[in-house]
Amino acid sequence: MKKRRLAGRAVNPVGLGCMNLSHAYGHPPSPEDGVKLLHKAVELGVDHFDSAALYGFGSNEELVGPALKTVRDDILLVSKCGMQGIDGKRVIDGRPEALRKTLDDSLKRLQTDRIDLWYLHRYDKLNNVPIEDSVGEMARLVDTGKVGAIGLSEVSAQTLRKAHKVHPIAAVQSEYSLWSRNAEIAVIDACAELGASFVAFSPVARGFLTDVDLDPENFAEKDIRRGMPRFNTPHFEQNQKLLPAFREIAKEADCSPAQLAIAWTLHKAPHIHAIPGTTSIGHLEENISADAITLSPEIISKAEVLINQNTVSGPRYPASTQAEIDTEEFDQTA
């Protein structure tokens, strides 16, 4: 892989989103299988691992940290604060005192003395915590040596610029794929302008842009996609109509649909990284190799014309979740 800069380091552009190993998509793998996948990722050259205090309400950090301890100095270890599990409930809290406690707890779970890139998982606008207050505290924690660099997740370009005035922001992480293009409105360009990286999570559209035929009726009870409009009637049936043509484009590009989706993301700008997640070693190998794929302008154009904000049916989040998100959004209520 040709490396790209992130948080002051050169890392491979396809990292690993670790959420799936503990959280969000129903039944996670056993800890033993999770460790095997993490070790395989290292073997394949992954050097960017993304966790969060929220994932598995701490159990993801407890898995990731010890599993990667032997290669700790060779990887970019990433986590997030500002959203976590408290008494069995997901809580957003960007107050300085909450962030301090989250950091100490995360360091213990990760079994490390520093987090290389620490994101504010959510800008706490629901509790009216100014972004300057949250980032100001994160900056003070950088000064302690416990944090290497600061990032933000799911924020607008305006919020990014406010935060950047307080302390340099190394990266913004947001959902970005062919079917979630809202980052193109402003924040990808704002990152380039400010010298920040952009990290795309869910680059394969939460499993949709693959060769796996999803059936939402079979999603596990706690699978977060059950609450996402694009996976519900009538939107899912409309979106399914896009897949045959997308898979044909992948064949034309001589790659899998997932590889096409990830490679497309990386082709959009040199400061973009992708962090697909998976519980499958086969899919891990497939995802990591996407960086080696060169897409022609014709392939890129075909994919973008087929799948974009005007052809995808349904918003990416339900209204209750969208209220917590600070990103710019297309007017997409269909």
Side-chain angles (χ1 to χ4, degrees):
M1 295 184 184
K2 184 177 181 181
K3 298 199 173 189
R4 300 183 179 190
R5 300 295 296 180
L6 177 61
R9 294 175 57 170
V11 298
N12 292 322
V14 181
L16 179 66
C18 298
M19 179 180 74
N20 305 47
L21 300 178
S22 309
H23 185 87
Y25 292 108
H27 304 294
S30 67
E32 294 77 15
D33 286 342
V35 169
K36 287 179 183 177
L37 187 136
L38 290 165
H39 288 171
K40 184 63 175 181
V42 172
E43 179 186 322
L44 292 170
V46 176
D47 52 6
H48 170 194
F49 292 85
D50 183 278
S51 184
L54 174 71
Y55 300 160
F57 289 8
S59 64
N60 192 253
E61 290 177 323
E62 291 173 342
L63 174 73
V64 169
L68 300 177
K69 205 166 186 178
T70 59
V71 294
R72 176 65 188 89
D73 292 334
D74 301 320
I75 63 170
L76 187 79
L77 185 61
V78 179
S79 195
K80 307 179 192 72
C81 61
M83 185 162 63
Q84 58 188 312
I86 298 177
D87 296 329
K89 296 181 179 180
R90 182 175 66 90
V91 175
I92 295 175
D93 191 344
R95 295 173 301 159
E97 58 268 31
L99 303 187
R100 288 194 299 272
K101 183 179 188 309
T102 300
L103 177 61
D104 288 338
D105 291 344
S106 290
L107 291 172
K108 289 176 185 177
R109 290 189 292 258
L110 289 165
Q111 297 185 17
T112 187
D113 61 356
R114 72 191 187 282
I115 294 173
D116 299 317
L117 173 58
W118 197 42
Y119 290 101
L120 183 66
H121 208 157
R122 288 291 182 271
Y123 163 32
D124 189 0
K125 60 180 184 176
L126 295 181
N127 296 313
N128 296 315
V129 179
I131 191 67
E132 293 88 349
D133 289 6
S134 296
V135 172
E137 183 60 29
M138 295 174 77
R140 285 185 282 274
L141 293 168
V142 169
D143 292 339
T144 70
K146 295 179 180 180
V147 174
I150 293 173
L152 302 174
S153 179
E154 294 273 50
V155 298
S156 64
Q158 180 183 25
T159 298
L160 167 61
R161 290 192 172 94
K162 286 181 181 179
H164 196 75
K165 289 179 180 178
V166 176
H167 187 276
I169 300 300
V172 171
Q173 179 180 135
S174 285
E175 182 174 0
Y176 184 52
S177 67
L178 278 160
W179 90 336
S180 291
R181 306 280 287 277
N182 56 296
E184 295 176 359
I185 297 171
V187 78
I188 290 177
D189 288 344
C191 284
E193 173 191 328
L194 298 174
S197 300
F198 180 85
V199 178
F201 73 77
S202 297
V204 296
R206 303 185 186 275
F208 183 78
L209 296 175
T210 69
D211 54 10
V212 177
D213 291 321
L214 299 178
D215 182 356
E217 293 294 325
N218 292 330
F219 287 165
E221 181 182 353
K222 294 185 178 180
D223 192 314
I224 59 173
R225 292 172 295 184
R226 282 190 170 272
M228 293 180 172
R230 292 178 182 177
F231 291 97
N232 287 292
T233 300
H235 303 300
F236 186 72
E237 290 76 11
Q238 289 298 314
N239 292 329
Q240 275 187 307
K241 296 175 182 178
L242 301 170
L243 282 176
F246 181 71
R247 291 169 177 172
E248 285 300 315
I249 296 171
K251 287 181 182 178
E252 187 179 345
D254 195 25
C255 64
S256 73
Q259 289 172 328
L260 172 58
I262 296 167
W264 173 86
T265 302
L266 297 178
H267 275 68
K268 295 303 291 182
H271 65 297
I272 293 178
H273 298 249
I275 50 168
T278 185
T279 60
S280 159
I281 286 179
H283 290 160
L284 173 70
E285 294 171 334
E286 177 185 354
N287 294 344
I288 298 308
S289 61
D291 177 60
I293 295 167
T294 300
L295 301 179
S296 69
E298 292 76 18
I299 291 291
I300 292 173
S301 178
K302 284 183 180 181
E304 291 181 347
V305 169
L306 176 68
I307 301 178
N308 59 65
Q309 68 273 14
N310 297 316
T311 62
V312 171
S313 181
R316 64 191 185 109
Y317 287 128
S320 59
T321 303
Q322 189 60 50
E324 303 170 351
I325 305 298
D326 182 57
T327 54
E328 295 90 355
E329 297 292 329
F330 294 107
D331 182 12
Q332 188 178 32
T333 56

